[in-house]
């Protein structure tokens, strides 16, 4: 133990005597550790421990399999299982729903959920005020109660300290507020208002079922028991309803999309590469320091120090650097977490239920990875020092060549170049994809900063027919157009480049269904002012007008892509399309106009043909309930928020206005995910470039310094500066060339992993690979030229003095 303490003291003294080396090593390793800790926090949040809930690892979801993991199940099946499914000690049901909330002066729309009291107990939320749901609230005929999120309590009810016991309007009926839940709690999905779920037999509702595995029960045992229930549960369903067999899976698997988990693991892989690059840099720096100390090490060896003690001394220095690096790493990781909070969680505060931030798991990971990185970075020079010919060095008086040290340094330069190429290719793919995405002309979004959009929720009890809903939107839109400063207003269920109405099947009359299925279009229900409000150009024919009424000839306006798909090189006007082909409610539509190609869905989605139908002919259409409003104003859109709400409430005080924002912000939010992804990879690429530049400069500076004597001799016998530069760069050339070759070989499969049509990233893209190679070559040459120029300024007499 005394020997270890002595080695740490000596290592500390050496670092104090070389503050420049110590500072650079700590910064380089700290940056690498900070990056990998930050991306691991994402892995921890999404893939390892995605739910910040008590006993989250024991929570499961039970239901029919869907595209992600597990979906809904029949409420009567839930009632049959509850209390009899022995693999879980508790089960609860949830139904997500929109909720109109108000106090009589107007209504707002909030994302809501109906939950059984058992479901709320499972997630273990502690109320900020009042209480949560209890078993009495689930009883049929019990008084109506409601729970509010902290954000709703503060924004809608002005943080009323007497909110508990207050009566508010919920979906047009009175309910008593019994609790306020913390703003970070948004279960099941960004929820802000909760009501009791009062299930009755023979109701057959679709419910989301959560449970908690009983102590010592494994998921495989729960699955086996659920399989034994398959036949009895199937008999519960109504005649003719044959659901899929129920499955059980971790709750996190049903909440976190698989693609998201894949992306965070890929980001973690990139972060590990950055850390490996930092380790190589620090190893190079320590190798240089070890080489400079080779005479000292030889003396210690001659005086009786064992190789083990020499290695321990080198590792002690690395450990001290590693501990200091954590002081740099954690602030970097916290800064990254703050950036995520600003870019994502500020817009979605209730999703903090899925965000642990830098918690105990992340801190423990950071400490472990710091130890491993320290051993890796310090182990290479320590191992090389233990194998050096120390006695030969002692005989040469410390003037011997670097020998094996130089060979190891050259290998690590090659590794640095290769890793930098891999990381920059990943960053370049995402930057190029995002730039292409943002550069696309967004048809219908030219005036996005001046278009205010809003969703409106109407109470079903007051609007029992589609005709009543259509009349409401007609009245509100007409009222909005009369406001000063309004250019136009429209009612529709779609927002160009941001919100899709629906995907629907279409066909030409008389066609049979193809093997691959009916062609699909992006369909929107719009009124006659849609084009003028969003600035979409009519190419041919006419748009909807007052003559397109319910009961008249059903008409449609298509975009240029639809015209090219169904009637290439022909006039599409007055031709017919069949909407919902093969269905009993199929409709034949006459094309009366063609508009420019219009992307109704998010710009991240695949572009498909577009079809518009008039609002007044849309009675009975499935997506009619999602109709909203849009107002184009001369002033910035945000200044019209109150007037829009006033226009809606003037027609119906109980109508809820929600999701009010500019079209520009709506489009930006749709692109936020891929933009954040690109930003993360860009930062990783820039950090890699910085680390590569620092590492290459350090190694090459030392290499050139070691050749000062050679350079002095060559200059003394008449060699010009150009010849010397060429000689040095020739040596760099093979290292650089080998590093680039290995980097390309690794970057090709890496680009295959990152390629994804959803985010427009392409594998093997020469527009990415070529600039990356040129950038790495440029940085490498600059890193070599700076120390080389400094060496060329040395007087040959001074260089030869050491001879």
């Amino acid at each position: 133990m005394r020997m270890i303490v002595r080695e740490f003291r000596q290592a500390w003294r050496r670092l104090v005597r070389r503050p420049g080396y110590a500072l650079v090593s700590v910064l380089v390793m700290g940056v690498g550790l900070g990056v990998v800790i930050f991306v691991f926090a994402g892995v921890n949040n999404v893939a390892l421990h995605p739910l910040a809930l008590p006993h989250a690892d024991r929570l499961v979801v039970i239901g029919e399999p869907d595209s992600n993991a597990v979906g809904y199940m029949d409420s009567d099946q839930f009632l049959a299982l509850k209390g009899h499914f022995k693999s879980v000690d508790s089960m609860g049901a949830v139904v997500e729903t929109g909720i109109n909330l108000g106090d009589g002066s107007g209504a707002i729309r909030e994302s809501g959920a109906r939950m059984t009291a058992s479901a709320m107990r499972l997630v273990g939320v502690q109320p900020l005020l009042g209480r949560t749901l209890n078993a009495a609230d689930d009883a049929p005929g019990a008084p109506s109660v409601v729970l509010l999120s902290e954000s709703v309590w503060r924004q809608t009810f002005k943080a009323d300290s007497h909110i508990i016991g207050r009566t508010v309007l919920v979906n047009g009926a009175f309910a008593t507020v019994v609790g306020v839940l913390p703003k970070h709690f948004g279960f099941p999905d960004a929820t802000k208002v909760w009501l009791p779920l009062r299930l009755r037999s023979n109701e057959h509702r679709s419910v989301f079922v959560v449970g908690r595995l009983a102590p010592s029960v494994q998921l495989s045992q729960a699955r086996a028991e659920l399989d034994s229930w398959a036949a009895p549960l199937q008999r519960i369903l109504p005649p003719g309803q044959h659901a899929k067999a129920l499955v059980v899976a971790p709750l996190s698997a049903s909440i976190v999309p698989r693609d998201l988990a894949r992306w965070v693991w890929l980001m973690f892989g990139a972060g590990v590469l950055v850390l490996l690059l930092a380790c190589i840099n620090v190893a190079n720096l320590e190798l240089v320091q070890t080489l400079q100390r080779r005479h000292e090490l030889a003396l210690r060896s001659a005086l009786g120090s064992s190789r083990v003690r020499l290695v321990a001394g080198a590792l002690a220095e690395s450990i001290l650097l590693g501990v200091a690096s954590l002081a740099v790493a954690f602030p970097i990781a916290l800064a990254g977490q703050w950036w995520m909070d600003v870019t994502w969680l500020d817009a979605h505060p209730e999703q903090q239920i899925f965000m642990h931030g830098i918690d105990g798991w992340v801190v423990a990971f950071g400490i472990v990875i710091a130890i491993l990185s320290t051993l890796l970075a310090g182990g290479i020079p320590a191992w090389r020092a233990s194998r050096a010919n120390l006695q030969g060095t002692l005989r040469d008086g410390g003037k011997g060549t670097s020998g094996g040290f130089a060979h190891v340094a050259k290998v690590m330069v090659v590794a640095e170049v290769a890793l930098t190429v891999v990381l920059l290719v990943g960053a370049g793919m995402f930057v190029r994809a995002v730039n292409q995405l943002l550069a696309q002309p967004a048809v219908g979004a030219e005036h996005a900063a001046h278009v205010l959009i809003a969703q409106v929720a109407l109470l079903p009890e007051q609007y029992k027919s589609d005709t009543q809903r259509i009349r409401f939107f007609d009245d509100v839109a007409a009222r909005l157009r009369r406001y000063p400063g309004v250019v136009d207003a429209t009612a529709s269920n779609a927002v160009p480049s941001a919100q899709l109405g629906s995907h629907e099947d279409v066909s030409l009359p008389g066609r049979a269904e193809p093997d691959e299925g009916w062609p699909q279009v992006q369909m929107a229900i719009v009124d006659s002012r849609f084009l003028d409000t969003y600035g979409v150009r009519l190419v041919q024919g006419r748009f909807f007008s007052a003559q397109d009424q319910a009961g008249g000839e059903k008409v449609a306006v298509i975009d240029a892509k639809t015209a090219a798909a169904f009637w290439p090189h022909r006039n599409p006007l007055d031709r017919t399309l069949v909407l919902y082909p093969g269905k009993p409610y199929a409709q034949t539509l006459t094309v009366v106009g063609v508009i420019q190609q219009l992307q109704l869905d998010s710009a991240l989605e695949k572009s498909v043909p577009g079809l518009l139908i008039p609002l007044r002919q849309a009675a009975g259409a499935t997506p009619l309930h999602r109709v909203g409003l849009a107002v184009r104003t001369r002033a910035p859109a945000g200044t019209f928020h109150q007037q829009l709400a006033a226009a809606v409430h003037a027609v119906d005080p109980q109508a809820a206005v929600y999701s009010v924002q500019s079209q520009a912000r709506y489009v930006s939010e749709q692109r936020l995910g891929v933009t954040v992804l690109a930003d993360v990879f860009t930062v990783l690429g820039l950090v890699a470039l910085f680390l590569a530049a620092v590492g290459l400069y350090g190694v090459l500076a030392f290499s050139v310094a070691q050749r000062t004597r050679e350079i002095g001799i060559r200059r003394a016998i008449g060699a010009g500066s150009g010849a010397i530069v060429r000689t040095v760069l020739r040596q760099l050339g093979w290292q650089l060339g080998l590093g680039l070759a290995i980097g390309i070989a690794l970057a090709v499969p890496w680009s295959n992993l990152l390629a994804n049509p959803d985010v427009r990233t392409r594998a093997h893209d020469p527009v990415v690979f070529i600039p990356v190679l040129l950038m790495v070559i440029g940085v490498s040459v600059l890193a070599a030229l700076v120390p080389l120029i400094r060496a060329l300024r040395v007087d040959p007499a001074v260089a030869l003095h050491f001879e």
Side-chain angles (χ1 to χ4, degrees), residues 482-502:
R482 294 195 291 269
Y483 274 86
V486 170
V487 177
D488 217 326
T490 186
S492 68
N493 70 338
V495 177
S497 300
Q499 177 182 302
L500 171 71
S502 60

Side-chain angles (χ1 to χ4, degrees), residues 495-515:
V495 177
S497 300
Q499 177 182 302
L500 171 71
S502 60
H503 281 122
E504 303 295 349
D505 294 341
V506 295
S507 176
L508 293 177
R511 296 284 180 89
E513 182 176 5
D515 293 338

Side-chain angles (χ1 to χ4, degrees), residues 403-447:
F405 287 95
H407 294 306
V408 174
K410 290 174 183 177
V411 170
M412 288 197 284
V413 167
V414 171
E416 278 193 284
V417 172
L419 288 177
T420 305
V421 169
V422 173
L423 287 164
L424 286 179
V425 163
M429 288 174 64
F430 280 97
V431 171
R432 174 167 163 74
V434 171
N435 286 340
Q436 286 182 321
L437 177 66
L438 298 178
Q440 289 178 345
V443 175
E446 287 84 351
H447 311 286

Side-chain angles (χ1 to χ4, degrees), residues 77 225-237 245-246:
Q77 292 180 320
E225 183 187 356
L226 189 60
D227 289 342
S228 68
W229 280 83
L233 290 177
Q234 186 65 45
R235 289 194 292 269
I236 291 174
L237 298 176
L246 299 181

Side-chain angles (χ1 to χ4, degrees), residues 204-437:
H204 296 294
R205 302 174 63 181
S206 292
V207 294
F208 186 77
V209 175
V210 294
R212 184 176 58 227
L213 292 176
S216 75
V217 172
Q218 301 301 313
L219 192 61
S220 57
Q221 296 172 270
R223 287 170 174 160
E225 183 187 356
L226 189 60
D227 289 342
S228 68
W229 280 83
L233 290 177
Q234 186 65 45
R235 289 194 292 269
I236 291 174
L237 298 176
Q241 182 178 338
H242 298 284
K244 299 176 182 177
L246 299 181
V247 294
V248 58
L251 177 60
S252 58
S254 187
I255 291 178
V256 179
R258 291 174 182 171
D259 284 346
L260 179 59
R262 173 178 176 268
W263 282 116
V264 297
W265 277 114
L266 287 173
M267 283 194 296
F268 179 69
V272 170
L273 293 180
V274 169
L275 179 59
L276 184 57
L277 191 57
C279 289
I280 292 173
N281 278 342
V282 174
N284 268 331
L285 291 172
E286 293 193 19
L287 194 63
V288 168
Q289 297 301 313
T290 303
L291 185 56
Q292 290 177 330
R293 293 178 55 227
R294 64 187 184 276
H295 187 60
E296 173 201 336
L297 295 173
L299 281 174
R300 292 184 63 183
S301 177
L303 293 174
S305 292
S306 65
R307 291 185 182 272
V308 172
R309 184 160 184 177
L310 295 178
V311 171
L315 286 178
E317 188 172 311
S318 297
I319 291 171
L320 290 176
L321 292 174
V323 172
S325 298
L326 283 175
V328 176
F330 280 113
I332 291 176
L334 288 170
Q337 189 65 42
W338 171 84
W339 171 69
M340 284 296 295
D341 290 347
V342 170
T343 56
W344 183 256
L345 288 182
D346 277 3
H348 309 279
E350 62 282 344
Q351 292 191 359
Q352 290 183 26
I353 189 175
F354 312 115
M355 300 293 288
H356 307 263
I358 309 298
D359 65 358
W361 285 98
V362 178
V363 171
F365 170 82
I367 294 172
V368 171
I369 202 69
I371 294 172
L372 295 177
S373 302
T374 297
L375 293 176
L376 176 62
I380 295 175
W383 168 80
R384 196 65 194 86
S386 70
R387 294 174 57 87
N389 184 3
L390 299 180
Q391 298 301 325
T393 299
L394 190 61
R395 285 194 301 270
D396 291 340
K399 296 189 292 184
T401 63
S402 56
F405 287 95
H407 294 306
V408 174
K410 290 174 183 177
V411 170
M412 288 197 284
V413 167
V414 171
E416 278 193 284
V417 172
L419 288 177
T420 305
V421 169
V422 173
L423 287 164
L424 286 179
V425 163
M429 288 174 64
F430 280 97
V431 171
R432 174 167 163 74
V434 171
N435 286 340
Q436 286 182 321
L437 177 66

